[in-house]
Structures are given as C-alpha cells and as structure tokens.
Amino acid sequence: MTEPKKEIILSGIRATGNLHIGNYFGALRKFVAVQNDYDCNFFIADLHALTTNPDPEQLHANVKSVLAEYLAAGLDPEKSTIYVQSDVPETTEMYLLLNMHVGIGELMRTVSFKDKARKALGLSPENDEEDIEKQVCGSDTGRRVNAGLLTYPTLMAADILIHKATKVPVGKDQLQHLELTRRFARRFNSFYNVDLFPEPYDFDFGGAPIKVPGLDGSGKMGKSEGNCIYLVDDPKVLRKKVMRAVTDEGPQTPDSQMSEPIANLFTLLELTSTPDVVEHFRKAYADCSIRYGDLKKQLAEDILAVTTPIRERVNDILADDGYLAKVLAAGAERARERAAATLSEMRHVMGIRKF
Ligand code: ADP
Ligand code: TRP
C-alpha cells in the first residue's frame, strides 16, 4: 500500500544577521518540531534580504550563519529540504509572472511596506498612506524606496506557491503576507479557471502565531529594532541584556494590572520556563512581593537553557564548509525539481510558448 502524501510545509527566514529568540520561538522551533510528520522545506531568504541593499560581503556571511544556525537548532537535511532562495531561480520567474496579477495599490497598503518606506523616507508613524505615496512618487525622494520592497509580498507568495505548500510556520508579523498569498492564489486560479494553487495558512500546531516582545519595554523583538537576544549570545552578554530589561516601580496594590514591560517579561518567561516557575512569579506579582531582579535572573537562566546547546554546536558547523555546501546542493536539487514542475504548469496555463 502506498503511503498517503504528506502535507507540504514551507518557510524561510531572511539572511539579515544572526537569529534571535523571536525568530526561534516564532519560526525555527516550529520548523524543527514538524520535520518527522510533513513534507518540509525551509530556505534562507537571500533575495528578500536584498530589498534593503545589504553589503555583499555581509550577505554572503549571513546566508552561511543562518544555515549554520538552522542546523545547530536541529533542522535535519535528511528530513527537510534546506536551500537558499536564490539557488531556485524558478521562484524569481514565478515572481515575475505573478506580478502580472498583483495590484500596485494592494502592495502599497501592506503594513510591512509602509513601515519600511517610512523608514527609508525618514517619515514618522504618524505619516499616513497619502504622505508615503506623495514621497514615493516624488522625483527626489521616490528612488529611496525600491520596487523590490514594494513587491516583497509577491516574492514571498512565489516562495510558497512554487511548492504548493499549504502550511507556513511563521510569526505573527507575517500573517498579512500570507493573506496576500492566498488572495494571489485565488485570483490566479479564477482568472485562468484552473485549480493550480492551494491556499496556504499559517501553522502553529493549533495555537495562534506569536509575537516575541523585546526587553526594551514595548514592541516586538526584531533585528531592525536593535533589541535582540541572539541564539549565539554568550552567557555573559545574554545575562546582561536580560538584567537590563525595562521594568516599572512594581505593583502597588494586590492583583493590579501589569504594565507592558512587565507583561513582556512574563511572555518570555512563559516561553522559556516551566509552568510552576511562571506560577510562582505570577503569584508574587499578584501579592506585591515580586522582586524583578529575581525574575530576570531566572529568565536569563531559562533562556540560556534553550540557547546554549545551539550556541555550542554552531561553531563546529560553521567550520565545515564542505558539509554546508553539500547540504545546500542537495537541498537546491530537491527544491528545484518541484519548482520546475509548478513553473512549467504555470507557464502553460498563462499561454507562454512551449514549442
Ligand atoms: P526580523 O523581524 O528580526 O528581521 P525576519 O523578518 O527574517 O526577522 O523573521 C523570520 C521569521 O521569524 C518570521 O517567521 C517572523 O515572523 C519570525 N519572527 C521575527 N521576529 C519575531 C518576533 N519578535 N516574534 C515572533 N516571531 C518573529
Ligand atoms: N517574509 C518573511 C520574513 O520576513 C521571510 C519569508 C520570505 C518567508 N519568504 C517566505 C516566510 C515564505 C515564509 C514563507 O520573515
């Protein structure tokens, strides 16, 4: 009897630097957990990293470090297809084809585009879509926002649809991009009256995708926020970062509501500590006996328990160029096989010459 086909999982992380615990809890931990049960494909998004024009040497180094960190965290090339985005050029052709059915307006309304455009233009969060549009269309300021940034969601849709993936493990900030991918897939299918692309959904083993907060009081942990705890931070550095976390003056009355910085500390504690430890500090907060210093010490040790085994493996992996090259060559070959098949169907549907 032949086994039923496994559902296809696809996800990637941009090659923009070392991975932090937001990447780990939002994405990488899930990649590792699903390897046995699904048809898994994980890539390093070097083309998406190009949207912010990195230094070429830095991009080379970042692709290698993300790969080493994937492997150190437990991704197994025997179980998962692991590849670099630019090694599968079928994706970029599909990106071009998909763009023929994507509206400039819907891309300009994407939250991630507005955030990045604001940054590139030196605008503040108060500046609305109209301000951004005016500057983007301006002859002086316009060129600061490149077209790759605008079409970022199309490339992400191509990454997913080229595998016909249905499950995409990502953090909360990527949900809008997934929504767009579903819209593009539906639009393509209905325009050509085909059933080529399935609609992909986020995947978090039944839970909702999370946002790992930073320790600077508000917002998410992210490379561009400069508030990251990296998987490869050495214990001294990591403890220092946690001990410096923003707090408040402490609860003044029993059962009072937590301020955002304290709620963020508890979010991290819930991700890394055992339920009894979390319960202990919750009770201490509720009866006003909590000492934030104790909570931070505990949190730092519990984060280290997660990151230490990864950090300890990374250097050996980084030193083995031969092994890394082999993993990527095998991954690219496997990924391209399916990518070529999907692209060929797409070209046929669109009427691109075949003879
Ligand atoms: P960054 O936001 O640091 O630049 P990426 O955009 O490359 O990182 O994110 C790669 C993956 O990690 C995505 O699935 C994203 O949702 C997830 N991720 C990044 N930061 C966080 C966070 N703070 N909380 C949860 N998931 C996150
Ligand atoms: N946009 C994602 C991020 O910034 C990275 C990414 C690119 C991705 N292509 C993807 C994630 C396809 C999931 C599926 O984190």
Side-chain angles (χ1 to χ4, degrees):
M1 211 168 70
T2 52
E3 277 195 35
K5 259 200 182 157
K6 290 181 181 170
E7 268 191 280
I8 300 173
I9 286 192
L10 178 285
S11 193
I13 298 182
R14 289 179 305 143
T16 47
N18 287 117
L19 302 185
H20 51 80
I21 61 172
N23 298 136
Y24 182 75
F25 288 108
L28 185 51
R29 176 178 67 156
K30 297 184 250 174
F31 302 177
V32 176
V34 295
Q35 286 184 107
N36 290 324
D37 302 320
Y38 294 88
D39 174 337
C40 283
N41 305 271
F42 302 114
F43 69 99
I44 299 154
D46 57 345
L47 300 175
H48 274 110
L50 282 174
T51 55
T52 44
N53 303 140
D55 172 71
E57 279 310 312
Q58 204 55 55
L59 184 57
H60 281 301
N62 287 342
V63 168
K64 193 175 165 189
S65 71
V66 173
L67 173 62
E69 288 168 26
Y70 271 3
L71 297 169
L75 277 194
D76 179 351
E78 300 290 323
K79 295 178 181 167
S80 297
T81 298
I82 302 170
Y83 64 97
V84 178
Q85 188 180 30
S86 61
D87 280 344
V88 181
E90 289 80 3
T91 309
T92 35
E93 182 174 339
M94 180 163 181
Y95 156 72
L96 180 139
L97 298 179
L98 268 184
N99 261 334
M100 307 305 167
H101 290 279
V102 172
I104 294 172
E106 59 190 339
L107 293 174
M108 282 190 75
R109 286 190 297 275
T110 310
V111 172
S112 62
F113 173 74
K114 289 194 283 187
D115 284 348
K116 285 177 180 149
R118 269 194 205 99
K119 207 171 260 176
L121 294 163
L123 298 174
S124 74
E126 284 85 60
N127 289 106
D128 60 13
E129 272 167 38
E130 234 172 89
D131 298 327
I132 296 171
E133 198 180 316
K134 220 183 278 162
Q135 299 241 356
V136 164
C137 297
S139 56
D140 293 335
T141 42
R143 75 177 79 93
R144 280 192 240 150
V145 180
N146 68 63
L149 212 48
L150 181 68
T151 53
Y152 186 112
T154 320
L155 182 57
M156 179 157 163
D159 292 324
I160 299 169
L161 299 178
I162 204 136
H163 284 283
K164 300 189 181 176
T166 50
K167 289 184 155 43
V168 184
V170 281
K172 203 172 172 179
D173 60 318
Q174 296 301 311
L175 293 183
Q176 192 181 28
H177 291 152
L178 272 182
E179 175 78 51
L180 282 172
T181 303
R182 287 193 290 277
R183 205 196 293 167
F184 300 161
R186 272 197 302 274
R187 189 179 295 159
F188 187 95
N189 286 344
S190 98
F191 186 90
Y192 294 103
N193 197 20
V194 291
D195 195 14
L196 185 59
F197 298 126
E199 291 185 31
Y201 285 86
D202 60 272
F203 185 53
D204 211 319
F205 327 111
I210 56 163
K211 177 182 95 174
V212 177
L215 289 178
D216 44 358
S218 66
K220 74 159 197 163
M221 184 176 291
K223 284 163 224 156
S224 40
E225 282 75 11
N227 60 1
C228 295
I229 294 178
Y230 293 103
L231 294 177
V232 296
D233 274 344
D234 79 52
K236 239 171 103 182
V237 172
L238 193 146
R239 287 192 185 104
K240 222 181 196 167
K241 286 184 181 175
V242 176
M243 294 315 287
R244 268 202 239 122
V246 172
T247 52
D248 57 18
E249 75 282 10
Q252 308 295 315
T253 50
D255 299 313
S256 57
Q257 186 146 12
M258 279 181 200
S259 64
E260 194 181 348
I262 305 305
N264 287 348
L265 281 174
F266 272 93
T267 300
L268 285 172
L269 202 65
E270 263 162 9
L271 285 167
T272 51
S273 300
T274 54
D276 54 315
V277 167
V278 179
E279 187 53 30
H280 164 77
F281 284 104
R282 279 205 186 282
K283 272 204 180 118
Y285 184 88
D287 67 19
C288 304
S289 67
I290 193 163
R291 289 203 310 221
Y292 290 145
D294 293 346
L295 187 160
K296 289 176 179 180
K297 263 191 211 135
Q298 175 78 42
L299 178 60
E301 296 318 306
D302 290 335
I303 295 175
L304 277 169
V306 176
T307 61
T308 300
I310 300 173
R311 187 186 69 250
E312 287 178 348
R313 279 194 289 266
V314 152
N315 283 337
D316 285 344
I317 298 174
L318 274 174
D320 197 345
D321 280 337
Y323 173 65
L324 295 177
K326 235 166 67 188
V327 167
L328 291 185
E333 192 180 325
R334 267 192 278 169
R336 287 194 74 178
E337 200 177 307
R338 181 152 58 203
T342 308
L343 181 62
S344 142
E345 287 179 285
M346 191 181 186
R347 289 174 65 120
H348 178 74
V349 163
M350 294 179 85
I352 293 177
R353 184 176 69 84
K354 215 170 138 199
F355 50 88

